[in-house]
Amino acid sequence: MPSPRRRAAQKPTNAALFAHLTGPEDVPLEGQPLAARMRPRDLDEYVGQEHLVGQGRVLRRAIDAGQLPSMIFWGPPGTGKTTLAAIAARRAKAHFVPLSAVASGVADLRRTVEEARERRAAGGGRTVLFIDEIHRFNKAQQDAVLPFVENGEVILIGATTENPSFEVISALLSRSRVFTLRPLTDDHVRTIVRRALVDDRGLAGAVTLDEDAEAGLVVAANGDARIALNALELAADAAVAGGGTAVTLEAVKEALQRRTLLYDRAGDQHYDTISAYIKSVRGSDPDAALYWLMRMIDAGEDPLFIARRQVILAAEDVGLADPQALVVASAAQQAVHLIGMPEGYYPLAEATVYLALAPKSDSIKRARGALDLDIEGTRADPVPLHLRNAPTRLMKQLGYGKDYKYAHDAEGHFDPRETFLPDSLRDRVYYDPTDLGAEAGLKRRLDDLRRRVREAARSRTGGTSGARPAPD
């Protein structure tokens, strides 16, 4: 096993990580991957992100004018964040210093800023400090960047695949513009692939790409140009090594092996996908719900996390419209815990379909909202004396349990004269059932019980009652 010192020596350097950006502009470095060789050199070669760099867009105007603010580029992998930063720096005639948050620390930042100061003092112009994967910097490291950005010693461009609202400190965010990059469309990826086939920096016409192979490559890339170019290069090398020039669909599949879905069990994709799943179940669409379920499973989501969400869905969104839903969801959770994956898919899918097709009621959730308001906004009156237990003689002498009406002694095991809320909340109605599914039966019974309570109240007050009528 390598020693800690040897492991540290093996850590990739910024020079190695960004050689394709810091080498000569007009001569691609030999041995670089196809994706690095084909990196656009200017905006006329840049593909995608028209909402940011299209003519007249604010970022395009800033780049064309060479007036760069500090910026955070947020978007999925392979959408051009690093390339756009390098192009912006080149257009601004600024020195471009790329750092990777994986391979850098505070010492690298300070050295870079000191070099930027010396460069500017010598008339060498401004410095763009590009920090790739800026979300990998901890708070202290991000704090170290802050003063240099604030006093203008460097122009910061950070790149992140994670939501900067959660991963970048607020002080740095407030001093930067956040630009969101979108996944490339299939047409974007197709343009990039076709250019790489013929460009002298790319494959220079050495191979052709079958039509079905191109279609498969574009779909499998899933909006990530780097995946498309890496797979194309591997498939092309295999074709040439085999004495051919045509890249087939089989060769592309072999190069791709298996598409990796963009997913992070602790990041935005985790929350966005479970949100889509929950909304699909709530919206009674079993097909969409199954799709998002499979997306999570295929990406390696914790199946017990999904099962827990199903239990919550059963209680929160199906509720008493189908009390059996909670039983089904709980059984699915137990089954997944017992058998694990991949067979755990079946109980998860069964519960998904059941929950999606079940009648929906949020009456318990609405009751919780009303209860929260009263718990927070009203006085916490003591428990009424007649509802208190009286296990001792003193408690009985103090009136504990006095005049309590035992429900089982009344007709139908219900005494409409009894009250259970504090006097200040006596008229409150928290549970308002729907008329869907099994809850319709509960609604009928509750309406009858509340009617009897109102009649009993009117008889006590001579035909008038200050009680608020229960909702119909």
Side-chain angles (χ1 to χ4, degrees), residues 26-333:
D26 55 345
V27 181
L29 296 177
E30 293 296 329
Q32 289 294 323
L34 178 62
R37 303 200 307 272
M38 289 303 301
R39 190 177 293 274
R41 294 163 292 192
D42 208 346
L43 288 178
D44 58 350
E45 294 182 356
Y46 192 81
V47 178
Q49 314 310 328
E50 291 86 357
H51 65 294
L52 297 180
V53 296
Q55 289 297 335
R57 298 292 183 175
V58 62
L59 181 57
R60 176 63 179 261
R61 293 201 303 269
I63 292 175
D64 286 344
Q67 300 298 320
L68 302 181
S70 287
M71 299 178 282
I72 304 292
F73 291 159
W74 171 33
T79 53
K81 298 184 293 295
T82 303
T83 297
L84 188 55
I87 290 173
R90 191 174 298 126
R91 283 285 188 97
K93 295 181 172 55
H95 191 73
F96 184 67
V97 180
L99 297 179
S100 169
V102 175
S104 306
V106 173
D108 299 292
L109 292 171
R110 289 174 176 160
R111 182 173 59 253
T112 297
V113 172
E114 185 58 36
E115 291 171 353
R117 287 174 182 155
E118 295 173 357
R119 187 180 302 112
R120 194 164 189 177
R126 296 170 298 168
T127 296
V128 168
L129 171 61
F130 174 71
I131 302 179
D132 193 23
E133 299 187 271
I134 192 171
H135 60 275
R136 299 291 188 96
F137 271 168
N138 60 35
K139 183 181 183 299
Q141 290 170 312
Q142 292 185 36
D143 280 337
V145 180
L146 188 60
F148 310 131
V149 173
E150 194 164 29
N151 62 25
E153 290 180 303
V154 294
I155 300 168
L156 171 69
I157 301 182
T160 177
T161 58
E162 301 295 328
N163 191 330
S165 300
F166 305 118
E167 303 296 341
V168 179
I169 60 173
S170 57
L172 204 52
L173 275 181
S174 69
R175 291 160 177 80
S176 308
R177 291 287 304 273
V178 177
F179 294 99
T180 303
L181 280 73
R182 300 170 181 167
L184 300 180
T185 67
D186 287 354
D187 286 340
H188 290 148
V189 176
R190 189 175 295 109
T191 297
I192 292 168
V193 167
R194 290 178 178 178
R195 181 183 294 169
L197 285 167
V198 298
D199 195 288
D200 287 342
R201 292 176 297 156
L203 300 177
V207 296
T208 59
L209 184 62
D210 290 353
E211 185 175 339
D212 59 346
E214 179 188 90
L217 178 61
V218 167
V219 170
N222 207 39
D224 188 326
R226 188 180 296 108
I227 287 177
L229 292 177
N230 287 344
L232 174 62
E233 183 174 35
L234 187 57
D237 288 345
V240 171
T245 59
V247 176
T248 65
L249 177 59
E250 286 304 314
V252 167
K253 288 181 177 179
E254 183 68 21
L256 286 166
Q257 289 297 308
R258 187 176 186 276
R259 179 166 63 165
T260 301
L261 295 175
L262 178 61
Y263 197 86
D264 185 341
R265 284 173 57 176
D268 278 358
Q269 290 298 317
H270 164 82
Y271 294 107
D272 290 347
T273 309
I274 193 62
S275 176
Y277 173 78
I278 291 168
K279 289 178 172 65
S280 299
V281 172
R282 182 183 296 142
S284 300
D285 188 335
D287 300 306
L290 284 172
Y291 171 78
W292 295 117
L293 171 69
M294 196 61 205
R295 278 275 295 265
M296 290 187 287
I297 291 173
D298 197 54
E301 180 58 84
D302 179 4
L304 288 176
F305 165 75
I306 302 172
R308 289 192 295 271
R309 291 306 316 182
Q310 290 182 339
V311 173
I312 296 169
L313 272 166
E316 182 178 359
D317 291 300
V318 177
L320 291 170
D322 184 356
Q324 186 66 19
L326 186 56
V327 177
V328 171
S330 298
Q333 189 271 338

